Amino acid sequence: MAHENPIGEYLRARRELVQPQDIGIPDISARRRVHGLRREEVAMLAGVSSDYYIRLEQGRDQHPSPQVLDALARALQLDEAATAHLHRLAAPPARRRRKAPPPEKVPAGILGLITSWSQSPAYVYGRYMDILAVNTLATALVPFYVKGENLVRAVFLDPRVPDIYGNWEDVTMSTVASLRVRVGPDVDDPRLNELVGELSVRSERFRQLWARHDVHSKRSGAARIDHPLVGPLELSSEKLPIPDTDHQTLVVHHAAPGSASALALELLATTTAREGEREQASNILS
């Protein structure tokens, strides 16, 4: 899965997502044979020549100036995260011999912290969105929150996921966009290619979303989880980057104090603790 023209792939994907009427161009559907904008329309909006823009998409010029990139971002209506991603794609690649990365290890302090939280579901995921550490309540909340599970693979391939999340389509879009922004321009990473290749074959939904080149780096958000024991929960999710690690992120779920979801989460925590105590006692007796 070699990617020799990442900036061209990105520009083409984003161009196809902008509708002509969104930027004041009359949409005469019968006369348009392309999805989204034409190349010459993007060039006109960005103030560059059509020939130059075509060279960018075709990969014959892969290092445009920051000023040109900002103009293209405005023409394509990119937000701040997408614009930053465009700049990273255009940066000269680092010339280094690729070697196998060291195993991802969660800092001991973070591991001890989430383990001590009995009322707050929490977990840590790494560069490729593999779960590296998780506390007991998080696994009780969502069954695929287990150490070693890949969140992207689970969201698209685990048959339980659509029933767990009431907004599954939003979750899939957010997950793919998060993976994109995490790997940045390093699209030839072997581990990434293995994951993307597997999911592209096994999930049409993933294949469509990956082709959009969406990126975002949300630090917080809302999650609706339908739990078979305590019912639906409306939770907030905080995503906190862990310093001095390779893209490790701490995720903590919490509910509004006094809400029905807070009571349900407390019930789940109590039930989980009791089950843990019974299992511990059983192990001692055996």
Side-chain angles (χ1 to χ4, degrees):
M1 294 179 63
H3 297 265
E4 298 179 356
N5 183 22
I7 189 171
E9 291 179 11
Y10 187 65
L11 290 173
R12 183 166 56 253
R14 303 315 299 178
R15 171 172 62 84
E16 293 175 352
L17 294 175
V18 181
Q19 299 306 310
Q21 57 269 29
D22 293 340
I23 57 172
I25 296 177
D27 180 19
I28 307 176
S29 300
R31 295 172 54 185
R32 297 189 70 90
R33 298 183 180 181
V34 298
H35 295 292
L37 298 179
R38 298 187 177 99
R39 290 168 173 165
E40 57 268 25
E41 290 169 340
V42 177
M44 177 189 67
L45 291 168
V48 299
S49 70
S50 296
D51 179 67
Y52 178 66
Y53 180 78
I54 290 172
R55 293 205 309 271
L56 287 176
E57 275 206 7
Q58 292 178 345
R60 291 184 285 137
D61 187 329
Q62 297 191 0
H63 306 298
S65 69
Q67 294 79 10
V68 168
L69 292 173
D70 287 336
L72 290 171
R74 290 190 295 270
L76 296 171
Q77 300 184 330
L78 303 184
D79 62 16
E80 183 178 350
T83 300
H85 184 70
L86 176 61
H87 278 266
R88 288 194 297 271
L89 291 178
R95 298 298 180 184
R96 65 184 185 277
R97 179 178 298 175
R98 183 182 294 280
K99 55 184 179 181
E104 295 182 289
K105 185 177 180 180
V106 178
I110 298 295
L111 184 59
L113 184 64
I114 67 171
T115 302
S116 70
W117 288 341
S118 60
Q119 301 293 317
S120 299
Y123 61 92
V124 175
Y125 63 81
R127 175 176 174 81
Y128 306 100
M129 303 185 72
D130 298 311
I131 294 181
L132 306 177
V134 59
N135 65 14
T136 303
L137 185 54
T139 303
L141 178 67
V142 177
F144 61 80
Y145 287 172
V146 293
K147 185 177 179 180
E149 180 64 84
N150 180 270
L151 291 172
V152 188
R153 184 182 290 108
V155 163
F156 285 94
L157 302 183
D158 192 319
R160 300 170 294 182
V161 171
D163 293 329
I164 294 172
Y165 293 110
N167 56 341
W168 179 75
E169 291 191 352
D170 292 340
V171 170
T172 58
M173 290 188 69
S174 175
T175 300
V176 172
S178 181
L179 179 63
R180 274 279 186 194
V181 79
R182 294 174 72 78
V183 299
D186 197 10
V187 290
D188 285 327
D189 183 292
R191 172 73 169 83
L192 173 68
N193 281 337
E194 179 185 2
L195 179 63
V196 171
E198 176 193 0
L199 291 172
S200 296
V201 170
R202 300 180 64 184
S203 171
E204 181 180 358
R205 172 73 174 167
F206 176 86
R207 187 165 59 251
Q208 293 171 345
L209 292 177
W210 189 253
R212 287 172 55 95
H213 288 252
D214 291 331
V215 294
H216 76 63
S217 54
K218 290 176 63 177
R219 295 289 182 240
S220 62
R224 185 183 189 279
I225 297 174
D226 289 324
H227 196 278
L229 179 63
V230 298
L233 298 100
E234 300 286 345
L235 302 176
S236 295
S237 300
E238 306 301 330
K239 298 181 179 180
L240 309 172
I242 301 176
D244 302 321
T245 65
D246 184 13
H247 294 81
Q248 289 185 24
T249 300
L250 169 62
V251 181
V252 185
H253 293 303
H254 60 97
S259 65
S261 293
L263 295 175
L265 192 58
E266 183 178 350
L267 174 60
L268 181 61
T270 301
T271 303
T272 301
R274 288 174 179 170
E275 290 178 352
E277 291 170 357
R278 284 196 295 266
E279 182 179 349
Q280 186 178 18
S282 176
N283 292 336
I284 292 175
L285 292 174
S286 62

